[in-house]
Amino acid sequence: MAARTLQEPSARTLQVGSGWRREAADAAAVECLSFTMGESWDRSKVAPADDLWTTRRDGVVRLRVEQTGPGSEPPLTMHQLFRQTVQRYGDRPALATRRDGRWETITYLQYYQDCRAAAKGFLKLGLEPFHGVGIMGFNCMEWFISDIAAIMAGGFAVGIYTTNSPEACQYVADNCEANVLLVENHRQLAKILQVQDQLPHLKAIIQYHDELKEKRPNLYTWKELMQLGSDVQDSLLDEIIASQKANQCCTLIYTSGTTGNSKGVMLSHDNLTWTSKSIGKMLGLDDQEVVVSYLPLSHIAAQIVDIWIPLTFGGMTYFADPDALKGSLVTTLQEARPTSFLGVPRVWEKIQEKMKAAGAKSSLIQRKVAAWAKGIGLHASYSQMNGNNCVPWGYTLANILVFRRVSAALGLDRCTKCITSAAPITKDTLEYFMSLKMPLLEIYGMSECTGPQTVSLPSSFRIMSCGKDLLGCKTRIDKPDEDGNGEICFWGRHIFMGYLNMKEKTEEALDEEGWLHSGDLGKQDQEGFLYITGRIKELIITAGGENIPPIPIEDRVKEEVPIISNAMLIGDKRKFLSMLLTLKCNTDGETGEPQDELTPEAVKLCQQLGSRATRVSDVIGSKDPAVYKAIQEGVERVNRRAVSNAQRVQKWTILSKDFSVLGGELGPTMKLKRPVVSKMYREEIDGFYKE
């Protein structure tokens, strides 16, 4: 089938369609920007609504505003927030990117002006109200500007994972009825061109980095986009901005699809602006905040931390290089010296592995000093956690010799908030960084609550807990069992509007009272700290009817056998539990594909066990007695801690390749895609249960 030719922009694209609301008539109204605590609301910025949820793209929802406290903050649109920041910090640097070895910055005023220019370009290209602007590429200024410009122009900002297949890109772009798609380079462009004829709403594609390899109708460069709207009147854009309501959708976050088709999570202006302010206040942020942007921006965590929090408080965002996770991230951290740093567990695990590998090459004296200091650091961190500010003897010397040097080497010497989120993290990794006096603060939440629900603070955290309720929000444990475990439910201004065009899925997520059901199992202690104990949809129900959360067992096996990279428990509707295991191996620097070579840490572990294996195939090919014995002994230690015989792992096997995003076993945030793995390794799984 021949590729469909996109419509050329015409004069009609400059007209305000019937979908635009016209309550505010002129640009002067836009300058009546916002309200502060103590002032009355700008009621024109909230549309009347009775319901707490909607699935309509142009729908509105009733905001969950409280009478007092953090939940009573007056609602703001994204533009109101941005203009507030420009008024306060207009000449301050907002974004920094490295070009030709030098950092280039733009101020908040320049940032705002660029967003307006891009928004007018989108209007010129025919962006319609409540239609998507898809963005697919690594973190950069153009990504941020496109996101905000899409909202300014009345559309939806829609991040698309760079790892998506052409079919997955088509699903997202079609679902959000994208009028415009932005791609980083030709590799991403090629995906869109493959499915272009299946995107009836698409009017233009912009490739914002690299030269175009060929000229096509309605394919533009970034420079062309920024010039396209030069003849669009500011008054037109201002009218669109002035018509926007805080309780309307402005951003779609597509779930990673670990349990089925991706869902478009509808987030309102108020979801983004209120949540960013609330978590920032809880963390004690100010205009000195510095972050490094490197995690996928199609995920809500990265958007909140990289885009919205700095924009709320006047902070600064540095962009990492595209190969950040292949080794260059530390260089960026050393130059930016962030005041807070978010890493998914796998990022922290990689840092841990590299530091251990480097430590193994140190002299005997250096290793002994490091071990001594880390013992003191772990003691000091536990004391801090328990509210005891007294540091152990020798702490000052350990700080000078080890802690300061490590944090400086990582570029985290100014970082007061090392954050982990998006997936479970092991106790081993948490204690490792505690021993370096860099406690990792867990934040728990999901796209459907605009990111955070519970937050750990430097002054208030518990190991293996994900913290206390976000200011202005509530947590309820639904139907707790005798141990206090039940489904975790959320309430607050951060709760999403609904899933786009998915009424049944929305009704599954939100109960009649408006509580968001997370699908996660957990419990709260008497101090209000939340602990995640499993996931309802991931619960294994054995043939004997035993309900077993897999993650705690998988984490214990990985802790007991450090050579293991990933573990997946099997046993749903089966007579006993079994487990798929992968070994720690190197990955391709370009693609992220797992290689056959074991990591230096894994090779060292093999040597300690008496094995000469240096490759995964070495271990599997000979069923290496030393490695297999170590794994079996580790599994047996885990089994001895099992609460019942049904929770004992009876069989296991090592897979020839580690799980990865490229392979499809892991989602973009490194979450395990259990249905995918079960299908891929059906033969191995069935082999466990053959008589």
Side-chain angles (χ1 to χ4, degrees), residues 60-73:
V60 293
V61 295
R62 175 163 54 88
L63 297 181
R64 304 163 188 239
V65 181
E66 303 288 341
Q67 293 295 319
T68 59
S72 66
E73 287 272 357

Side-chain angles (χ1 to χ4, degrees), residues 317-332:
T317 301
Y318 284 78
F319 292 102
D321 294 332
D323 61 351
L325 294 179
K326 300 169 188 173
S328 70
L329 178 59
V330 170
T331 301
T332 303

